[in-house]
Amino acid sequence: MKTRRRPHAMSDLSPTVTTMTLQTSTPRHAKWLLTFLGIWLIALGAYFAFVRPALLPEDPRFIGTPLALLREAAPGLEAWLRIVFTVMGGFMAGAGVLTLFLARAVVPAQLRGTGWAIALAGLPTVVLMSAMNFALHSDFRWVLLLPPLLWAAAVIAYVRHA
């Protein structure tokens, strides 16, 4: 709690009035970064569940086998991957919903352990995804470096404010 003096028009004739105010500021930067990342995770999940093809052009290139040979050797591979990516997209979207809740409800409340929760949630989600895209030499690796950097910025913004 901060002590604040309220000025009066005629301070020399009136007694000094002291009020107690609670600190009500919130970690705004962390809140907005995590809000953006939550929306991004939901959109990415929707892309994986509904739009992403089973195999991107970079996938056969990484495997070292032409797409035609993959289809011939494993005719059910693409149907199976479609199911895998639908499930994975659902988990991404779910992580996004939880990230949005964290950003909009928990970060402003500054509950104990929030900084740790933010940091630890980013590791298996955006950081791991970005790292694996670099390991695969994905065409999207540089774009997918942005979310972990923004997540780290959100953690730093939260910790600096707390």
Side-chain angles (χ1 to χ4, degrees), residues 24-85:
T24 57
S25 66
T26 60
R28 283 187 342 208
H29 293 96
K31 177 182 171 181
W32 288 107
L33 284 168
L34 288 169
T35 297
F36 168 77
L37 287 162
I39 293 167
W40 176 79
L41 278 166
I42 293 168
L44 187 65
Y47 167 75
F48 268 77
F50 303 114
V51 179
R52 187 195 192 279
L55 291 168
L56 296 172
E58 65 189 32
D59 296 328
R61 190 170 58 235
F62 178 80
I63 296 169
T65 305
L67 184 57
L69 283 177
L70 282 174
R71 287 180 173 150
E72 185 181 320
L77 177 65
E78 290 176 285
W80 175 75
L81 286 174
R82 187 69 251 129
I83 293 167
V84 169
F85 288 133

Side-chain angles (χ1 to χ4, degrees), residues 27 29-30 33 115 118-119 148-162:
H29 293 96
L33 284 168
I118 296 168
L149 294 176
L150 291 176
W151 202 285
V155 171
I156 291 167
Y158 184 82
V159 170
R160 289 183 112 186
H161 188 278

Side-chain angles (χ1 to χ4, degrees), residues 81-161:
L81 286 174
R82 187 69 251 129
I83 293 167
V84 169
F85 288 133
T86 299
V87 171
M88 195 164 78
F91 271 88
M92 288 176 183
V97 169
L98 291 173
T99 301
L100 267 177
F101 176 75
L102 185 72
R104 308 307 289 175
V106 179
V107 167
Q110 299 181 38
L111 301 176
R112 188 174 183 197
T114 300
W116 282 107
I118 296 168
L120 294 175
L123 290 174
T125 54
V126 297
V127 173
L128 183 62
M129 184 179 75
S130 180
M132 291 304 99
N133 274 276
F134 272 90
L136 295 170
H137 299 291
S138 168
D139 296 340
F140 305 101
R141 65 186 177 270
W142 294 107
V143 173
L144 293 173
L145 182 60
L146 185 60
L149 294 176
L150 291 176
W151 202 285
V155 171
I156 291 167
Y158 184 82
V159 170
R160 289 183 112 186
H161 188 278

